[in-house]
Amino acid sequence: MDPLLELKHVSYAYHTKSGETYALTDISFQVQRGEFLAIVGPSGCGKSTLLSLISGLILPEDGTILRSGMPGASPHSSIGYMLQKDHLFDWRTVYRNVTLGLEIRHELNKRTRLHVDQMLKDYDLYRFRNAVPSELSGGMRQRAALIRTLALDPELLLLDEPFSALDFQTRLSVCDDIYAILRKEKKTAILVTHDLSEAVSMADRILVLSQRPARIREVIRVSFAREGLSPFARRNEPEFKDYFNQIWAALNPVSPGKEPA
């Protein structure tokens, strides 16, 4: 089966009057349909730039990005983007927020309304459909933002630190919620995160990037003996610590002749 997404030797540089600064160099990987991929790396290494390239918001300097085997050179409706902030509008109800993308694309019809209603029921937001976002908790707002994205039925979801604005307890709960929703909807997802525990608890594979200009330092396939675990349950499994330490070692390689910290 062809991968849903493939990057081949992708590089990108930012250009200013003083010269160019490479953010990413020679990035190559594939994402299979239904896979949950996490990307971790040092702060400022280009993780969000990589998502912008995948979404088509910016174009690579070198290399090729293929979506379902076809070149992707512009923003594409098959890709959904979920950012750090939920960007819900408080002058619109929850329902009118989650249907905003459908309105913009002139796709708000009986079929899509039924789909939205079902997701609001499935993910415990239907009774808040006429509320405004300020009446929701942080976790509920993130669920609403995800439903807004899923309403457009994207093939691929890009998640750029979507839990970073939440407190730790809420973050754990919402992480479970979002993971369950994506699995139920059978979506392919790429998560960018600074939280190594979050990556291990959610992903099927983890890409570890180096300092800028980022290269792929290591690819770690995540597998737990007990299948079907929630992200929170994964944190209590014996394999969890081993994967965490493996990522930490990849992010903090020991130079020759230097003792580990």
Side-chain angles (χ1 to χ4, degrees):
M1 182 183 294
D2 290 334
L4 178 60
L5 175 73
E6 184 173 10
L7 277 71
K8 297 181 177 180
H9 308 291
V10 168
S11 298
Y12 184 81
Y14 290 101
H15 297 269
T16 65
K17 290 181 180 179
S18 58
E20 64 180 16
T21 302
Y22 266 88
L24 302 161
T25 303
D26 197 28
I27 301 292
S28 297
F29 65 89
Q30 297 180 349
V31 181
Q32 303 300 323
R33 296 178 189 278
E35 185 177 19
F36 198 121
L37 179 75
I39 300 174
V40 301
S43 181
C45 74
K47 299 184 293 295
S48 293
T49 299
L50 184 53
L51 291 191
S52 294
L53 286 163
I54 292 169
S55 68
L57 293 174
I58 57 177
L59 301 178
E61 299 276 322
D62 298 296
T64 306
I65 299 176
L66 302 175
R67 303 187 193 112
S68 299
M70 302 296 292
S74 60
H76 202 278
S77 60
S78 68
I79 295 178
Y81 214 138
M82 191 170 172
L83 302 169
Q84 295 177 16
K85 295 183 179 180
D86 56 60
H87 294 291
L88 299 176
F89 298 123
D90 214 44
W91 60 88
R92 296 175 69 101
T93 64
V94 169
Y95 183 81
R96 293 191 65 219
N97 266 285
V98 300
T99 58
L100 178 59
L102 293 169
E103 286 182 36
I104 292 171
R105 282 169 43 171
H106 305 289
E107 295 177 3
L108 190 56
N109 52 46
K110 183 178 180 180
R111 179 186 64 81
T112 57
R113 286 181 187 274
L114 287 173
H115 183 217
V116 167
D117 283 346
Q118 190 59 54
M119 285 194 291
L120 288 169
K121 291 173 183 176
D122 288 345
Y123 309 129
D124 201 26
L125 284 176
Y126 189 79
R127 59 197 171 106
F128 299 99
R129 67 199 302 271
N130 294 318
V132 292
S134 60
E135 298 177 279
L136 305 182
S137 68
M140 293 163 71
R141 291 178 67 109
Q142 286 301 90
R143 291 207 304 273
L146 180 61
I147 291 172
R148 179 184 59 196
T149 303
L150 292 176
L152 299 173
D153 197 25
E155 284 189 300
L156 174 65
L157 269 83
L158 306 180
L159 311 174
D160 191 358
E161 296 276 358
F163 316 120
S164 61
L166 304 173
D167 64 80
F168 184 68
Q169 183 176 350
T170 304
R171 186 168 182 153
L172 291 176
S173 175
V174 174
C175 188
D176 270 12
D177 289 344
I178 300 299
Y179 180 84
I181 291 169
L182 294 180
R183 290 304 192 194
K184 184 176 186 297
E185 300 292 330
K186 295 181 173 60
K187 294 298 180 182
T188 308
I190 299 176
L191 169 70
V192 158
T193 180
H194 286 95
D195 188 331
L196 306 190
S197 295
E198 196 169 85
V200 176
S201 69
M202 297 187 78
D204 301 311
R205 272 192 309 144
I206 301 169
L207 263 60
V208 183
L209 300 182
S210 68
Q211 292 277 1
R212 177 178 289 194
R215 296 176 179 269
I216 296 177
R217 180 164 278 164
E218 191 165 344
V219 180
I220 299 170
R221 185 167 295 279
V222 179
S223 177
F224 287 80
R226 292 204 301 156
E227 297 181 357
L229 297 172
S230 69
F232 185 82
R234 276 187 171 192
R235 291 170 181 259
N236 296 310
E237 293 299 291
E239 300 97 328
F240 183 87
K241 182 176 72 172
D242 294 335
Y243 287 125
F244 185 99
N245 291 338
Q246 188 177 350
I247 299 169
W248 182 263
L251 287 170
N252 300 278
V254 178
S255 300
K258 182 179 179 181
E259 292 296 323

